[in-house]
Amino acid sequence: MLEVLCTQGLPEGWRFWARAHYLSPFREGEAGFTAKKGREMTLEKDSKVADVRGHRVPTGLFIDGEWLRTGQEIPVINPSDKSEITKVADGSGGHALEALAAADRSAQQWRHWAPRARADLFHLAHGLLIERADAFADVMTMESGKPRAEALGEFNLSAGFFLWYAEQVAHLHGRYQEGSPGGYRVIETHQPVGPSFLVTPWNFPMLMSARKAGAALAAGCTVVIKSARETPLTAALFIDTLQEAGFPAGVVNLIHTSNSAEVSEQIMADSRLKKVSFTGSSAVGTVLLKQASNLIINSSMELGGDGPFIVLDDADVDLAVREAVICKFRNAGQACVAANRIILHESIAEEFTEKFLAATAALKVGDGFDPEVSVGPIITERQLNRVSGLVESFQSAGGTLLAGGNVIDGEGFFFEPTVFRFDSYDHDFCNDELFAPIAALYTVTTVDEALRFANDTHYGLSAYVFSKDLSRVVTVAERLDFGMVGVNRGIMSDPKAPFGGIKESGLGREAGHEGIYEFLEPKYIALTIDERSGMEG
């Protein structure tokens, strides 16, 4: 398929050139791609696929261009009804090292692919992704529980990220300039970091796979993706699509595991690994950073958030309510950028609270395939119990329960959209990532008070501010100690924009130009020039 892509419509002479320049690095027998024939395989080929609402999804590990089984399996559970969807292969630390070895063998060939060839491959993969939109939406709804409309929205955003990277592959730039004292030239270029370990979360399984892998592959890096235990099928469908598009063996690898700690510990201790990109809790990110320090592994961390949501006295209250409901209850509140603390100026607090409670009451909780459902389940029973514990903690801290607060009886892990009001903020919740459908309302009297309270957190991922005064919102946004600020909007993810936080919310950025350069190392070449040479005659 890749050969057809690279050569279709070209005269025969040009076809020969395209085959030689685009495809020859991965021809059978080239160095680096015959190694797997001579190594002992501890895995067996796996032809098993799951039927998920009529969509075929591979269930094995994907290593060196093959789907493989391990002899151990992990059940994948539908959180809407606790039923088993299927089982996937359970990988160990040893299997992760097999995947890293494949990524390492393919690294030199992949990094030297012509940019246009890599871009063309991306465009083909993007087309195949679009053809499978319904499959991705159905699979995500089944294994994560999110409403199908949300799942389809996540897919569309993910495809947009992948297209963005496709368009940027051939537009990675360096610099050329004269050295300061003269006599030589300063050449700055960039080279791929190398084999990369991408750790994805369960709450946005498609978006994180596409955003991380898209950037790494566009930069010329090979990857080992570790899926989240709760949502391995979305990752498998993504990898299956890249395989069908023609990504070469070893360039993309996928590990499922029930023992993330073992997998991470072993792969992070291997000198062949050059980069780790992780999305998840700050606690786990801290562990990975400690592991990365042993070999000074290049690290990107997208960690926890606290999401202060400030509504000033001159805000459009109806707009703020609509955006707050989305920002708080999307994905049942299980998002690092969710609005955890809703900070209201006293002059609009009563109006906002009344309208917010009405909007919250109108939310329907249930199975994501019901088109009227807007809030799906909590991902696991363990997380459901944690959410119940948060309600008890909020009440103990003096919070007034205004709505919800209960587990919903039934087959799935459902919890009522919940709203608390606090009359003070002398508690530690601003340093906790809620990851729950629980909103906490606070009242302040001045903008300065709102800013002090918003910034009083270890986190620094996202914040939000609502006001009709442009000068005011710009001033407030600049004083918020967060990596991203939404002004009069509760969702701001965009392929063009750098996504990430400061403080304990992480290191580095994803998406935008910065997202690709996270997987590139700058390289400086000092070139001596004899400025008299060639000037005679």
Side-chain angles (χ1 to χ4, degrees), residues 20-352:
H21 288 77
Y22 282 7
L23 301 173
S24 61
F26 289 94
R27 289 298 185 197
E28 185 71 24
E30 288 288 334
F33 282 86
T34 57
K36 71 177 183 180
K37 294 181 178 179
R39 65 189 174 97
E40 291 186 7
M41 292 294 293
T42 59
L43 298 159
E44 297 182 42
K45 290 185 179 181
D46 185 14
S47 58
K48 179 184 174 183
V49 295
D51 186 316
V52 182
R53 291 182 71 90
H55 310 295
R56 293 169 58 83
V57 184
T59 60
L61 310 184
F62 189 71
I63 299 176
D64 214 0
E66 295 178 338
W67 292 100
L68 304 167
R69 64 174 181 266
T70 64
Q72 302 294 324
E73 293 183 316
I74 311 168
V76 184
I77 304 300
N78 182 342
S80 290
D81 61 12
K82 304 179 187 176
S83 65
E84 182 178 298
I85 303 169
T86 187
K87 291 184 174 71
V88 297
D90 188 2
S92 66
H95 299 134
L97 294 181
E98 290 267 9
L100 178 59
D104 183 59
R105 285 192 300 272
S106 62
Q108 287 302 314
Q109 285 83 0
W110 179 243
R111 71 183 293 175
H112 291 299
W113 262 46
R116 177 52 56 200
R118 203 153 59 231
D120 287 345
L121 185 55
F122 261 73
H123 281 291
L124 176 57
H126 176 259
L128 293 175
L129 288 172
I130 296 300
E131 291 177 6
R132 297 181 174 186
D134 285 334
F136 278 101
D138 287 346
V139 168
M140 271 191 280
T141 300
M142 284 287 285
E143 65 178 355
S144 76
K146 64 181 61 183
R148 193 180 186 283
E150 279 190 24
L152 187 58
E154 178 180 341
F155 169 80
N156 288 331
L157 180 59
S158 305
F161 273 97
F162 205 80
L163 180 59
W164 164 260
Y165 293 130
E167 295 167 337
Q168 301 308 308
V169 170
H171 299 282
L172 302 177
H173 305 293
R175 292 188 300 169
Y176 176 89
Q177 57 190 320
E178 185 176 1
S180 298
Y184 66 94
R185 299 293 182 264
V186 171
I187 301 173
E188 180 188 345
T189 185
H190 298 84
Q191 61 186 36
V193 172
S196 301
F197 182 42
L198 313 181
V199 185
T200 61
W202 52 261
N203 56 334
F204 292 99
M206 177 58 183
L207 180 59
M208 294 300 101
S209 294
R211 197 162 75 184
K212 291 179 184 295
L217 295 168
C221 295
T222 56
V223 301
V224 176
I225 300 174
K226 190 193 79 63
S227 69
R229 176 173 180 170
E230 298 80 1
T231 55
L233 300 177
T234 302
L237 190 57
F238 176 63
I239 297 303
D240 188 54
T241 306
L242 298 190
Q243 180 192 28
E244 183 177 337
F247 276 79
V251 170
V252 183
N253 305 274
L254 175 66
I255 295 292
H256 310 305
T257 184
S258 62
N259 194 339
S260 296
E262 177 200 352
V263 164
S264 296
E265 183 178 3
Q266 291 202 31
I267 200 170
M268 294 287 286
D270 195 300
S271 62
R272 292 171 295 187
L273 184 69
K274 304 303 180 186
K275 170 80 179 184
V276 59
S277 176
F278 169 76
T279 295
S281 71
S282 297
V284 175
T286 299
V287 173
L288 289 174
L289 284 172
K290 289 178 179 178
Q291 292 173 346
S293 68
N294 293 324
L295 295 175
I296 319 297
I297 295 172
N298 187 313
S299 303
S300 296
M301 297 281 145
E302 199 269 281
L303 307 177
D306 174 50
F309 189 102
I310 301 173
V311 186
L312 299 179
D313 56 316
D314 65 338
D316 181 332
V317 174
D318 290 332
L319 172 65
V321 167
R322 288 197 303 271
E323 295 296 309
V325 169
I326 295 171
C327 190
K328 174 68 263 184
F329 296 115
R330 179 175 61 126
N331 205 30
Q334 300 169 120
C336 56
V337 293
N340 278 2
R341 291 176 290 150
I342 300 177
I343 303 169
L344 309 170
H345 190 276
E346 61 180 359
S347 65
I348 54 85
E350 184 176 347
E351 178 187 2
F352 180 96

Side-chain angles (χ1 to χ4, degrees), residues 333-395:
Q334 300 169 120
C336 56
V337 293
N340 278 2
R341 291 176 290 150
I342 300 177
I343 303 169
L344 309 170
H345 190 276
E346 61 180 359
S347 65
I348 54 85
E350 184 176 347
E351 178 187 2
F352 180 96
T353 300
E354 180 182 343
K355 292 180 176 179
F356 185 72
L357 287 173
T360 300
L363 297 172
K364 181 178 179 179
V365 182
D367 189 311
F369 287 104
D370 181 341
E372 296 183 359
V373 163
S374 49
V375 178
I378 306 301
I379 188 67
T380 63
E381 185 173 13
R382 178 183 177 185
Q383 286 292 103
L384 183 65
N385 293 335
R386 187 189 66 83
V387 172
S388 295
L390 282 174
V391 170
E392 296 175 6
S393 297
F394 273 41
Q395 291 173 321

